[in-house]
Amino acid sequence: MNGRGDRPHGYRIAVDERGAILPLLALVIVVLLAFAAFAVDLGAAWGERTQDQSAADAAVMAAALQYLHDEDSPSSAETITIVMDYVSRNLADPPTLAEWQSCVDDDKPDGNYAPLTDDQDPVNTYDCISLRQESDAPTRLRVRIPTRAVTTSFASIIGIETIEVSASAIAEIAYSDSARILPFSLPLNPGTEECLGVPPN
């Protein structure tokens, strides 16, 4: 007897810890995949969102410019055509006509923004191409790009198959005697350009 029960001196209880690292390794892999999803998938969604914003900016300014050049204001059909044309110029995979017609703009700011209706086809109303015309406020044109679905890669592992993005822009249509220089221009007619910051007399 050594005063410590029946165990001989120096005896140690052996514990088999083989395989204990596997749950920890699995957890680390999940965390790394989550970070990869943030880096890759959110980066792709942000890139698509940036392109959408550029397309919305170009489209709304081109349509607003047409208002400044057309003394009687362009028809709704002309405005719709201009918006769709500039969006298609700036996106590799532009929205289809059906996507434009089914697009719903739930984020309109305060003010009476009325969806434009195609004069040549009154059945079709475009909620994501809207105009605000009020007597006590400047005319404003709003364009919202139909929602785009960006297919994910890493995030699909955790059940997120797509990330939806969109963008919108508003142009105020007003004549001004003061010239304002903008950092870019848009083609008014094929082969020509006109600065957006200087409206006609």
Side-chain angles (χ1 to χ4, degrees):
M1 301 292 289
N2 57 10
R4 297 184 182 178
D6 297 332
R7 291 178 297 175
H9 179 70
Y11 177 79
R12 298 289 185 269
I13 299 175
V15 179
D16 187 359
E17 295 183 353
R18 289 177 298 179
I21 195 67
L22 292 179
L24 181 60
L25 182 60
L27 179 61
V28 170
I29 291 175
V30 170
V31 172
L32 289 176
L33 286 175
F35 277 111
F38 277 108
V40 177
D41 295 329
L42 290 183
W46 181 257
E48 178 65 33
R49 169 70 171 73
T50 301
Q51 293 180 16
D52 289 353
Q53 188 61 60
S54 297
D57 292 341
V60 77
M61 288 189 172
L65 182 63
Q66 187 64 32
Y67 271 85
L68 296 177
H69 282 278
D70 195 328
E71 295 180 358
D72 299 325
S73 296
S75 66
S76 295
E78 289 174 320
T79 302
I80 292 168
T81 299
I82 291 171
V83 167
M84 290 185 181
D85 177 43
Y86 272 84
V87 170
S88 65
R89 292 187 194 192
N90 286 275
L91 292 179
D93 183 23
T96 64
L97 180 61
E99 288 175 325
W100 278 109
Q101 293 171 350
S102 62
C103 180
V104 177
D105 188 358
D106 292 327
D107 300 322
K108 289 188 180 77
D110 294 337
N112 186 22
Y113 282 84
L116 293 187
T117 301
D118 191 339
D119 305 303
Q120 301 172 358
D121 187 8
V123 175
N124 293 318
T125 299
Y126 297 83
D127 189 49
C128 288
I129 307 173
S130 56
L131 191 67
R132 189 187 79 172
Q133 290 179 305
E134 299 173 354
S135 58
D136 58 343
T139 298
R140 290 185 176 180
L141 178 67
R142 175 177 168 84
V143 171
R144 180 185 184 275
I145 304 296
T147 301
R148 321 291 289 157
V150 179
T151 303
T152 62
S153 53
F154 289 99
S156 61
I157 298 174
I158 57 176
I160 302 175
E161 301 292 337
T162 59
I163 299 175
E164 294 186 346
V165 297
S166 184
S168 62
I170 295 176
E172 184 174 295
I173 303 169
Y175 291 93
S176 174
D177 293 331
S178 61
R180 296 182 179 179
I181 299 175
L182 298 181
F184 56 88
S185 60
L186 290 173
L188 179 62
N189 295 310
T192 65
E193 290 187 352
E194 179 160 338
C195 179
L196 292 179
V198 185
N201 296 327

